[in-house]
Amino acid sequence: MPTTKDTLRAFLASNGWKEFKTFAPTWPEIAHEGWSKEPFGAVKLILSYTAITIHGNLSQFISVDIKLELNGIWYNLQAYSISPKEFMEKHIEIEDKLIALRSRLCL
C-alpha cells in the first residue's frame, strides 16, 4: 500500500523539512509540494513531491536536490524517482550523499 501524503507530510515536518509554496501547476490529477531543509551553513536541500493519478492509479515520487554556483557555473545535484516509502527509509543516506557530492565540488 502506498504511503499517504499525510504520512509523508508528518514525516518531513518531524525531520526538519519546511514546506514552501511552489509555482508548479496543479490539476485534479496532479499535485505538487515543495519542501526545504538547511542542515548547516549555506547548504539547502530542496525536496519536490509529485502525485499523479491516471485512470484511478496513483503514482507518487520525490526528488531531492542541491543547487550551487561555482565560478559562474550552476550545478544541480539530484536524487530522483524515489517513492515516498523509500525516501522515508533512506532519507539520511540520500541527504548525506548529496551533501558529500556538494562538498566534493567545492574543493
Side-chain angles (χ1 to χ4, degrees), residues 8-77:
L8 176 63
R9 294 178 104 241
F11 176 84
L12 292 172
S14 70
N15 281 280
W17 292 88
K18 303 213 180 323
E19 188 173 9
F20 65 86
K21 172 116 173 89
T22 67
F23 296 99
T26 299
W27 295 280
E29 310 82 23
I30 303 174
H32 297 280
E33 288 188 10
W35 294 74
S36 67
K37 183 177 187 178
E38 296 182 37
F40 57 87
V43 174
K44 186 173 191 173
L45 297 166
I46 302 295
L47 181 143
S48 299
Y49 164 80
T50 304
I52 302 172
T53 303
I54 300 174
H55 304 296
N57 297 313
L58 175 65
S59 293
Q60 303 176 87
F61 49 93
I62 288 173
S63 65
V64 183
D65 65 72
I66 294 178
K67 293 177 176 58
L68 68 145
E69 182 267 332
L70 293 168
N71 300 322
I73 297 173
W74 281 92
Y75 296 86
N76 182 22
L77 307 172

